[in-house]
Amino acid sequence: MDPLGFSPHNHDHCISDGVAAADAQCRAKGLQLTPVRRRVLEILLQEHRAMGAYDILDHLRNEGLGSQPPVAYRALDFLVKHGFAHKIERLNAFVACAHPEGDHAPVFLICRDCNSVAESDGRTVRKAMADTASQSGFAIDRSVVEALGLCPNCREGHAE
Amino acid sequence: MDPLGFSPHNHDHCISDGVAAADAQCRAKGLQLTPVRRRVLEILLQEHRAMGAYDILDHLRNEGLGSQPPVAYRALDFLVKHGFAHKIERLNAFVACAHPEGDHAPVFLICRDCNSVAESDGRTVRKAMADTASQSGFAIDRSVVEALGLCPNCREGHAE
DNA sequence: GGGACTCATGTAATGTTATAACAGCCGCGG
DNA sequence: CCGCGGCTGTTATAACATTACATGAGTCCC
């Protein structure tokens, strides 16, 4: 059940900081952080793990905020589009962004044991990708970089 | 409709070479390249694009080789597991491996216009990822690296 | 040959993830 | 007041994937 950075932290801050950052950016860009969107972001921050759209929908349903898939997907699309959350393709799941302070190029480290997801700095990786792509004349818009393996905590358990 | 390398080539060779490589590796490793598996690989090589499992299943059905989803998924699992094909997570689709000569770390370049997929050499990218991961003590097993953008051919069309 | 085993296949049913399409609401500018 | 854009509510369905169980073909060992 360990969180995004593979390290302990004050989790209340994650939530309030994350929402505050989104709030600020939405105000700055004229976007609407509506109750459903805000709540979905809070849920993602709270749970601090990759969640399926239907997991999130369950929460929303319990809270009377919507019960049909499009409700969840629309909120998630919004959050992903504006960088407040990310989709983990490998898991068909979503996580709150761990670095909401503007543009970034995340690399996700997914633990195959505890399913935690860490978002780490992908700048060197993106650089390498840009080099690779330019050799074939390909122009990258966006990219998906996800590693599967063992997080530090689970590695200990597997020590042989 | 352009293919894996964004460049023209003799496509008959792709198919025969791909199947021959798989054949050889299966023999070497004691794996069974059964008719369904072989046919799925041929279909992927033939079409030379990312195909959904159900697209492949349609082909199989037309040929009397199986009609239920597990038939396609089992063959695809086999091919992916042994490196004869890859899954493109972003597209929920599969492509034949373009470099069946043993271990490799592919990076996929996915054109958002024509949907072609190129498999390029990911060694420098993997190196960068390993560096990034090791900083947080994460041990990578496998990874998914997919870039979305415009291939050289579609770039021309978009020149403004 | 017969029994036990493994691996591959056939098939029904179901589960999970995601989208299309349309109707209604609400705030805002004209 | 009206039209318009953006968000939400809801029904229905599409697209992707797996579980579970039955059958068959080959191999090994006795």
Side-chain angles (χ1 to χ4, degrees):
Chain A
M1 204 356 212
D2 207 27
L4 269 87
F6 302 137
S7 54
H9 60 290
N10 181 331
H11 194 44
D12 291 341
H13 285 189
C14 291
I15 301 176
S16 52
D17 291 358
V19 175
D23 226 347
Q25 282 197 41
C26 284
R27 243 190 299 269
K29 295 185 197 164
L31 304 170
Q32 303 185 45
L33 191 63
T34 62
V36 181
R37 293 170 178 175
R38 173 187 297 265
R39 188 65 194 121
V40 170
L41 179 58
E42 283 171 5
I43 291 167
L44 285 173
L45 287 161
Q46 222 154 45
E47 299 270 333
H48 225 170
R49 60 187 176 91
M51 300 181 75
Y54 283 72
D55 294 341
I56 289 165
L57 187 56
D58 286 343
H59 283 254
L60 294 178
R61 214 186 325 255
N62 292 337
E63 300 170 15
L65 271 170
S67 60
Q68 303 304 320
V71 174
Y73 280 103
R74 286 196 285 235
L76 288 165
D77 286 349
F78 172 88
L79 296 173
V80 168
K81 181 171 178 187
H82 298 294
F84 306 134
H86 302 287
K87 178 167 189 185
I88 308 298
E89 297 289 342
R90 174 76 193 208
L91 304 176
N92 294 317
F94 301 83
V95 279
C97 179
H99 305 288
E101 330 74 29
D103 279 0
H104 60 295
V107 167
F108 297 101
L109 307 176
I110 306 167
C111 181
R112 62 172 152 78
D113 230 53
C114 67
N115 266 302
S116 61
V117 174
E119 179 177 346
S120 79
D121 182 354
R123 277 173 298 187
T124 62
V125 175
R126 301 302 158 134
K127 179 75 172 55
M129 288 185 72
D131 289 351
T132 297
S134 70
Q135 283 168 28
S136 35
F138 187 95
I140 296 179
D141 288 342
R142 260 158 309 131
S143 46
V144 173
V145 182
E146 300 170 4
L148 288 99
L150 282 180
C151 74
N153 303 325
C154 293
R155 267 224 277 192
E156 291 179 23
H158 281 246
E160 289 121 66
Chain B
M1 203 359 210
D2 208 26
L4 268 87
F6 302 136
S7 54
H9 60 290
N10 181 329
H11 195 43
D12 291 342
H13 285 188
C14 291
I15 301 175
S16 53
D17 291 0
V19 175
D23 226 348
Q25 281 198 41
C26 285
R27 243 189 301 269
K29 295 186 197 162
L31 304 170
Q32 303 184 45
L33 192 62
T34 62
V36 182
R37 292 170 179 175
R38 173 187 297 264
R39 188 64 194 122
V40 170
L41 179 57
E42 283 171 5
I43 291 167
L44 286 174
L45 286 161
Q46 224 154 44
E47 300 269 335
H48 224 169
R49 61 187 176 90
M51 300 179 75
Y54 282 71
D55 293 341
I56 290 165
L57 187 56
D58 287 342
H59 283 254
L60 295 178
R61 212 184 331 252
N62 292 336
E63 300 170 14
L65 273 170
S67 62
Q68 303 302 321
V71 173
Y73 281 103
R74 286 195 284 234
L76 288 166
D77 285 349
F78 172 87
L79 296 173
V80 169
K81 180 171 178 186
H82 298 293
F84 306 134
H86 301 288
K87 179 166 188 185
I88 308 298
E89 296 289 344
R90 174 75 194 208
L91 304 176
N92 293 319
F94 301 83
V95 280
C97 178
H99 306 287
E101 329 76 30
D103 278 0
H104 60 293
V107 167
F108 297 102
L109 306 176
I110 305 168
C111 179
R112 63 173 152 79
D113 230 52
C114 67
N115 265 302
S116 61
V117 174
E119 178 177 346
S120 78
D121 181 353
R123 278 172 298 187
T124 61
V125 175
R126 301 303 157 131
K127 178 73 173 55
M129 289 185 71
D131 290 350
T132 297
S134 69
Q135 284 169 27
S136 35
F138 187 94
I140 296 179
D141 287 343
R142 261 159 309 130
S143 45
V144 173
V145 182
E146 300 169 3
L148 288 100
L150 282 178
C151 74
N153 304 323
C154 293
R155 267 223 277 193
E156 291 178 23
H158 281 246
E160 288 122 66

